[in-house]
């Protein structure tokens, strides 16, 4: 089993682990929705500007209000919250992103500007800001606990809410880390499958292993051209010993790479051509005039060194 096969197996295992993590995250999300999508708790969601954008059935039951009745209400400007200190708590939560417990208050929607309907009630409330991965505030979730019915359950529900939020945050962090590792592994696999090796001053080798598809051909060209510029190379040995099949597309990709290298003034030597591959190249009418060929990497290096010595001699004269 080759290094590429082992890498692919590791990638499959990582993807499976990632799938399991996503399923766990979905379970946590469903639990959270099950808690808020009921009539036991009043929940409203406000956007980053404090405008009400969503309410649940518990909100409608507690306040006898629909979303349509409060959709223009901006909680950051609600003067009815000011005497109790609730407005200060709301603005603190928006400014800092910290979950904040608000004071107990008797709230009457009919005294709220732009609403003028509903029923009053005594509630304790908590506000939970929601941020994106960059730390920007997206929205805030406000939960109301009706004092007359909840009593001790108020604190229990708050603890459960916080525990669920922590679980979702932890699972999200784990998922993000797995995705980052997956991307790094994919990048490492691509780089390992197209290594460019410095054999001598001005001489590079590119050993190719496996099938050359369009995505890999792009990686090969990018890696090679970058290495040519970095090492100031004048010659490149392309070793195709490990390429099982050369078809029309693979040959086209290979010679596009050779052409790009030639534009940088680099001479290419193709080594490791098998009898079967040679017959395929002939059948495909591939023009090999743009490069030198050699039977093995050793022969290719010998040719490259000879060209280098000859070039140095000419410059000396």
């Amino acid at each position: 089993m080759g290094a590429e096969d082992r890498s692919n197996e590791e990638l499959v295992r990582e993807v499976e682990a990632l799938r399991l993590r996503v399923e766990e995250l979905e379970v946590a999300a469903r639990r959270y929705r099950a808690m808020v999508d009921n009539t036991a708790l009043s929940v409203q969601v406000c956007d980053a500007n404090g405008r009400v954008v969503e309410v649940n059935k518990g909100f409608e039951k507690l306040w006898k209000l629909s979303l349509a009745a409060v959709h223009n209400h901006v909680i950051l400007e609600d003067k009815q919250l000011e005497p109790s200190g609730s407005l200060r708590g709301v603005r603190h939560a928006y400014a800092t992103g910290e979950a904040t417990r608000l004071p107990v208050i008797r709230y009457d929607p009919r005294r709220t500007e732009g609403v003028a309907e509903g029923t009053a009630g005594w509630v304790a409330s908590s506000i939970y800001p929601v941020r994106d991965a960059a730390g920007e505030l997206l929205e805030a979730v406000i939960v109301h606990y009706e004092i007359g019915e909840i009593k001790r359950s108020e604190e229990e529900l708050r603890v459960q809410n916080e525990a669920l939020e922590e679980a979702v945050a932890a699972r999200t962090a784990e998922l993000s880390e797995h995705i980052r590792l997956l991307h790094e592994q994919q990048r490492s696999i691509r780089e390992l499958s197209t290594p460019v090796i410095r054999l001598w001053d001005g001489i590079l080798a590119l050993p190719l292993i496996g099938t050359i598809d369009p995505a890999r051909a792009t990686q090969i060209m990018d890696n090679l051209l970058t290495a040519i510029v970095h090492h100031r190379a004048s010659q490149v040995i392309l070793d195709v010993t490990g390429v099982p099949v050369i078809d029309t597309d693979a040959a086209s990709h290979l010679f596009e790479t050779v052409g790009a290298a030639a534009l940088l003034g680099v001479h290419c030597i193709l080594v490791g051509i098998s009898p079967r591959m040679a017959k395929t190249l002939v059948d495909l009418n591939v023009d090999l005039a743009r490069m030198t060929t050699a039977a093995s990497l050793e022969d290719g290096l010998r040719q490259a060194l000879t060209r280098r010595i000859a070039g140095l001699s000419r410059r000396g004269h």
Side-chain angles (χ1 to χ4, degrees):
M1 182 179 293
E4 184 176 0
D5 291 334
R6 288 196 298 272
S7 297
N8 287 336
E9 288 180 0
E10 292 172 358
L11 186 59
V12 169
R13 287 196 295 269
E14 288 294 331
V15 170
E16 177 61 17
L18 182 60
R19 184 186 65 80
L20 294 175
R21 290 297 185 187
V22 171
E23 289 180 355
E24 292 177 358
L25 185 60
E26 289 175 345
V27 169
R30 286 196 297 270
R31 290 172 181 168
Y32 181 81
R33 296 304 303 179
M35 186 182 72
V36 300
D37 284 347
N38 58 72
T39 59
L41 289 176
S42 169
V43 179
Q44 67 181 123
V45 180
C46 300
D47 65 16
N49 296 316
R51 189 175 302 278
V52 178
V53 295
E54 185 179 349
V55 299
N56 74 338
K57 295 177 181 177
F59 179 94
E60 295 176 344
K61 178 184 177 182
L62 175 62
W63 304 110
K64 302 298 187 292
L65 290 171
S66 65
L67 176 61
V70 296
H71 76 281
N72 285 324
H73 177 55
V74 179
I75 192 171
L76 292 171
E77 300 172 0
D78 192 337
K79 300 301 182 183
Q80 192 176 169
L81 300 177
E82 193 164 18
S84 66
S86 294
L87 184 59
R88 183 171 61 253
V90 169
R91 290 175 175 172
H92 172 79
Y94 265 81
T96 65
E98 298 175 356
T100 304
R101 188 169 183 175
L102 305 177
V104 174
I105 183 175
R106 183 181 185 279
Y107 189 85
D108 190 348
R110 292 166 297 187
R111 294 173 51 202
T112 301
E113 182 178 354
V115 179
E117 58 180 282
T119 59
W122 281 95
V123 294
S125 306
S126 296
I127 180 169
Y128 302 94
V130 179
R131 293 178 176 271
D132 62 14
E136 294 294 324
L137 183 73
L138 296 177
E139 56 186 18
V141 179
I142 300 97
V143 181
H144 308 116
Y145 313 92
E146 188 176 11
I147 300 301
E149 296 181 0
I150 293 183
K151 297 181 181 178
R152 288 187 310 170
S153 299
E154 173 186 355
E155 180 63 17
E156 294 173 359
L157 285 172
R158 183 184 65 80
V159 171
Q160 291 178 11
N161 238 357
E162 292 178 350
L164 281 173
E165 289 178 349
E166 290 175 0
V168 170
R171 297 282 162 74
T172 301
E174 290 177 3
L175 178 61
S176 299
E177 178 64 12
H178 277 288
I179 292 174
R180 184 188 67 79
L181 290 175
L182 178 61
H183 288 165
E184 287 186 357
Q185 289 170 353
Q186 290 174 334
R187 177 178 55 79
S188 297
I189 290 172
R190 288 195 300 269
E191 291 178 353
L192 288 173
S193 66
T194 56
V196 180
I197 304 169
R198 180 179 178 273
L199 296 180
W200 205 272
D201 186 23
I203 302 174
L204 302 178
L206 176 58
L208 299 176
I209 300 173
T211 304
I212 302 176
D213 56 24
R216 189 164 175 230
T218 300
Q219 183 73 23
I220 290 171
M221 182 180 292
D222 290 344
N223 285 5
L224 180 59
L225 297 182
T226 300
I228 287 172
V229 174
H230 178 72
H231 294 289
R232 298 182 179 180
S234 59
Q235 298 185 80
V236 171
I237 301 174
L238 297 173
D239 187 354
V240 295
T241 305
V243 179
V245 177
I246 289 285
D247 56 15
T248 303
D249 290 337
S252 175
H253 295 320
L254 188 61
F255 286 99
E256 284 177 1
T257 301
V258 171
L263 291 175
L264 297 178
V266 175
H267 176 74
C268 293
I269 302 173
L270 184 64
V271 304
I273 300 176
S274 65
R276 179 181 176 186
M277 191 180 300
K279 183 177 183 303
T280 301
L281 292 175
V282 171
D283 292 341
L284 294 173
N285 293 320
V286 174
D287 182 13
L288 298 175
R290 289 185 294 174
M291 67 169 65
T292 306
T293 60
S296 66
L297 181 59
E298 182 180 356
D299 292 337
L301 179 57
R302 187 178 294 111
Q303 286 189 26
L305 289 172
T306 300
R307 285 179 57 87
R308 183 175 182 277
I309 293 171
L312 292 174
S313 298
R314 285 193 298 272
R315 284 197 294 271
H317 289 294

